[in-house]
């Protein structure tokens, strides 16, 4: 049996951040993870470049049953603090739209930063260690894994959610919470592509790979303005991933395919400048030609000369392009989702330390809890903040 001050289950973003923070405070820290290597989700994030934070991260960018829960951690360790950490390690990065920061080289740079910090802080990381049981005793917690038994004073659960099961995602964190009497909210895949009904798949056959700048709105009025992407199975792209966190089965989403323009005003201009040109050709100057041709072939957009269009037809075209309604069949699920919505109820935890209110010295951080950020580095930003807050408290 190995005794330690702090045992952390999960060698991901939040777990490694908490480990290094606690280690620097002189705590003996061990991290156990069932995987072959640390930071597996970090490595595949951002297309392998890791969108490691967002400069604009605020509490408004998170979904949580208690919207105030994220404020404390984010206020104490904001995105600039993590940017300074990667700069100290010489990681080269670049800015993208909407405050996103990506590694120039690869996501491995971020894992290297975290593992170097853990090494400097004296943290041990034990891989290929699957947790089999946890019991509370007078000294703290007795944790059994496939390889070893650990006695710890403080136990941090940073085991992640259910996304990407191929990387070893499991419900262990939720089971531990329930074992100790903590409420776990229903979970679902978030930041995930939509699948479509067969008739819509047929409509969009041949459009896979086409991207359109769009404004997407959910039934509850949440709007994101970014690209959508047609896929073989449905719709993806940043705007779709964002809105998926606010979508529920059976609901529709509304797409404005020309958010920056008024098709009615353009028609008036075209009547003057290009009256004999076809609507199809003029719309193809605004939207991908293959998309317009597909909609014409399905008789969803008429193909007449501009000067032959009636007022009713112009109104219909405007409505179609500005309020394009799609009812998804479902989502791609945890297989391709970036995060898990729901999880350990934050009402069970201290927002300052992430300690369970009912169980002293038991902590939950990261994706396992009911905090879900927007797409664009927000989830990592919260993991870093939660890891630091927890690491300072154990």
């Amino acid at each position: 049996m190995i005794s330690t001050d702090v045992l952390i289950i999960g060698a991901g973003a939040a777990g490694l951040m908490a480990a290094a923070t606690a280690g620097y405070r002189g705590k003996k820290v061990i991290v156990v993870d069932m995987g072959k290597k640390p930071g597996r989700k970090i490595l595949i994030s951002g297309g392998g470049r890791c969108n490691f934070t967002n400069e604009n991260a605020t509490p408004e960018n998170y979904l949580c049953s208690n919207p105030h829960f994220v404020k404390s951690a984010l206020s104490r360790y904001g995105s600039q603090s993590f940017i300074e950490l990667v700069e100290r390690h010489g990681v080269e990065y670049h800015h993208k739209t909407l405050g996103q920061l990506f590694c120039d080289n690869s996501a491995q740079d971020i894992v290297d930063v975290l593992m170097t910090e853990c090494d400097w802080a004296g943290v041990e990381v034990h891989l290929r260690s699957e947790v089999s049981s946890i019991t509370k005793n007078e000294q703290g917690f007795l944790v059994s894994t496939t390889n070893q038994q650990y006695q710890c004073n403080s136990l941090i659960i940073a085991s992640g959610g259910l996304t990407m099961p191929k990387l070893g995602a499991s419900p262990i964190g939720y089971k531990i919470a329930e074992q100790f009497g903590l409420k776990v909210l229903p979970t679902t895949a978030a930041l995930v592509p939509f699948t479509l009904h067969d008739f819509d798949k047929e409509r969009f056959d041949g459009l896979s790979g086409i991207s359109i700048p769009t404004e997407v709105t959910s039934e509850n009025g949440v709007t994101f303005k970014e690209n959508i992407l047609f896929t073989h199975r449905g719709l993806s792209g940043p705007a779709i991933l964002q809105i998926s966190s606010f979508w529920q089965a059976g609901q529709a989403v509304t797409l404005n395919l020309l958010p920056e323009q008024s098709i009615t005003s353009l028609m008036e201009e075209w009547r003057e400048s290009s009256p004999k040109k076809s609507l199809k050709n003029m719309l193809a100057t605004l939207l991908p030609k293959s998309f317009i041709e597909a909609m014409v072939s399905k008789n969803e957009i008429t193909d007449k000369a501009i000067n032959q269009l009636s007022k009713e037809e112009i109104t219909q075209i405007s409505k179609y392009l500005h309020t394009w309604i799609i009812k998804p069949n479902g989502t791609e699920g945890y297989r391709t989702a970036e995060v898990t919505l729901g999880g350990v109820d934050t009402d069970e935890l201290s927002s300052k330390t992430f300690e369970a209110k009912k169980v002293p010295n038991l902590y939950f951080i990261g994706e396992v809890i009911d905090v879900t950020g927007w797409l664009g580095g927000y989830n990592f930003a919260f993991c870093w903040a939660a890891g630091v807050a927890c690491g300072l408290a154990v």
Side-chain angles (χ1 to χ4, degrees), residues 19 22 37 68 85 154 180 204 238 247 253 293 346:
K37 50 188 174 182
H68 302 291
L85 175 64
S154 298
F180 288 100
F204 309 141
W247 176 84
V253 293
E293 287 177 345
T346 55

Side-chain angles (χ1 to χ4, degrees), residues 64-66 69 183 185 344-350 357 370:
C64 177
S65 58
N66 174 4
F69 181 82
K183 184 180 179 184
L185 300 176
V344 178
D345 191 343
T346 55
D347 286 347
E348 301 277 13
L349 309 174
S350 160
K357 294 172 182 176
D370 173 39

Side-chain angles (χ1 to χ4, degrees), residues 248-268:
Q248 292 181 356
Q251 292 183 338
V253 293
T254 303
L255 290 77
N256 182 349
L257 300 175
L258 292 169
E260 305 296 338
Q261 292 159 306
S262 162
I263 196 66
T264 307
S265 299
L266 285 170
M267 292 278 201
E268 290 173 6

